[in-house]
Amino acid sequence: MKSENLLQTLQRIRSIWNILDVRTRRSFRKLTIASASVNILDLCGIFLFATFSSGILNLIQQNGSSTRFEILVERFTRANIDRDSILAVVAALMLVSFISKSLLSALLNKRILFFLASKETSFARKVILKSINKDAEVFNRESPEKLHFASGVSVSRMFNGVLYPLSQISIDSTLLFLVLIVLIFTSPASTLLAVGIMVLAMWRISKRVHIH
């Protein structure tokens, strides 16, 4: 039953996607890819935050050994830079990364919403004109409620209930994929174990919810 519902949902999404013209689909893809690419700033911010936390912890513990990041900086710059200066630069870059990501995400999300709103208005206008251009007998046979639903409610559901969530799912999935890649590269065994536990927990929860 679940697989059939999922298949029907995918078929509906595909049919809605095929209704859109080529130019609209191309613009929608570009906006979604641009929003997903901004997630790279999130990864940079997370990496810088981990580096900053590690450096602060070494300062608190008065640990004189250099962190991996400090070693990389020394090799890259070929200079002996003190830890306080490195931490100050890391903190500044971390703030710039997170702030830039928030601003760019807000601007791109606003652009997506305005884009969908304009296409929704255009699509609704086409539905109304197509209904008006029908034969008078066929047009008079249609109830006003049905015309209102076709040009207003159904079009709004298509754009706000399908296309916008589809873009957000794509953006969040990209961030999740990038985080998993970094975690697997850092610690494969721990990452796979954590993912396995999360999948098992989600399966158990969904099974109980389905039963009740």
Side-chain angles (χ1 to χ4, degrees), residues 24 26 29 52 57 59 74 83 103 111 140 146:
T24 301
R26 187 183 298 115
R29 283 197 202 99
F52 181 77
L57 185 62
L59 285 177
E74 290 177 359
R83 178 172 294 174
L103 293 176
R111 183 70 184 88
N140 292 329
K146 187 174 182 180

Side-chain angles (χ1 to χ4, degrees), residues 1-202:
M1 183 64 69
K2 289 183 178 180
S3 59
E4 293 178 0
N5 292 335
L6 178 60
L7 184 61
Q8 291 177 358
T9 301
L10 293 176
Q11 289 176 349
R12 289 171 183 168
I13 293 174
R14 184 177 181 182
S15 62
I16 290 174
W17 181 257
N18 292 332
I19 291 175
L20 304 175
D21 57 87
V22 177
R23 185 177 179 181
T24 301
R25 281 183 281 183
R26 187 183 298 115
S27 300
F28 183 76
R29 283 197 202 99
K30 288 181 179 179
L31 286 172
T32 303
I33 292 173
S35 298
S37 301
V38 176
N39 289 327
I40 296 176
L41 292 174
D42 251 341
L43 285 182
C44 294
I46 293 171
F47 170 75
L48 292 171
F49 177 77
T51 303
F52 181 77
S53 301
S54 177
I56 292 295
L57 185 62
N58 283 347
L59 285 177
I60 294 174
Q61 294 178 347
Q62 296 182 352
N63 188 352
S65 59
S66 300
T67 62
R68 294 180 182 179
F69 184 76
E70 291 172 351
I71 295 174
L72 289 175
V73 170
E74 290 177 359
R75 289 180 180 178
F76 181 76
T77 60
R78 298 183 181 278
N80 187 14
I81 305 175
D82 61 288
R83 178 172 294 174
D84 292 340
S85 301
I86 292 177
L87 289 177
V89 173
V90 168
L93 292 176
M94 178 182 65
L95 290 176
V96 170
S97 179
F98 282 134
I99 293 173
S100 300
K101 195 270 178 181
S102 299
L103 293 176
L104 288 174
S105 295
L107 291 174
L108 287 171
N109 192 50
K110 179 182 178 181
R111 183 70 184 88
I112 290 175
L113 289 173
F114 271 91
F115 171 77
L116 292 177
S118 64
K119 294 302 177 181
E120 178 184 343
T121 304
S122 177
F123 197 85
R125 188 186 301 116
K126 290 180 181 178
V127 172
I128 294 175
L129 291 176
K130 187 175 182 180
S131 301
I132 294 175
N133 291 332
K134 289 182 179 179
D135 295 335
E137 182 180 352
V138 177
F139 180 74
N140 292 329
R141 195 185 308 155
E142 301 289 345
S143 63
E145 293 81 8
K146 187 174 182 180
L147 179 60
H148 175 265
F149 183 85
S151 61
V153 179
S154 61
V155 174
S156 178
R157 287 179 179 177
M158 183 179 78
F159 282 91
N160 299 322
V162 177
L163 293 178
Y164 180 70
L166 182 62
S167 69
Q168 297 305 304
I169 290 173
S170 302
I171 294 168
D172 293 339
S173 299
T174 303
L175 176 59
L176 179 61
F177 176 76
L178 291 174
V179 171
L180 282 176
I181 292 296
V182 173
L183 290 177
I184 290 175
F185 179 78
T186 305
S187 179
S190 300
T191 302
L192 294 176
L193 179 61
V195 170
I197 294 173
M198 290 178 61
V199 170
L200 180 62
M202 291 177 63

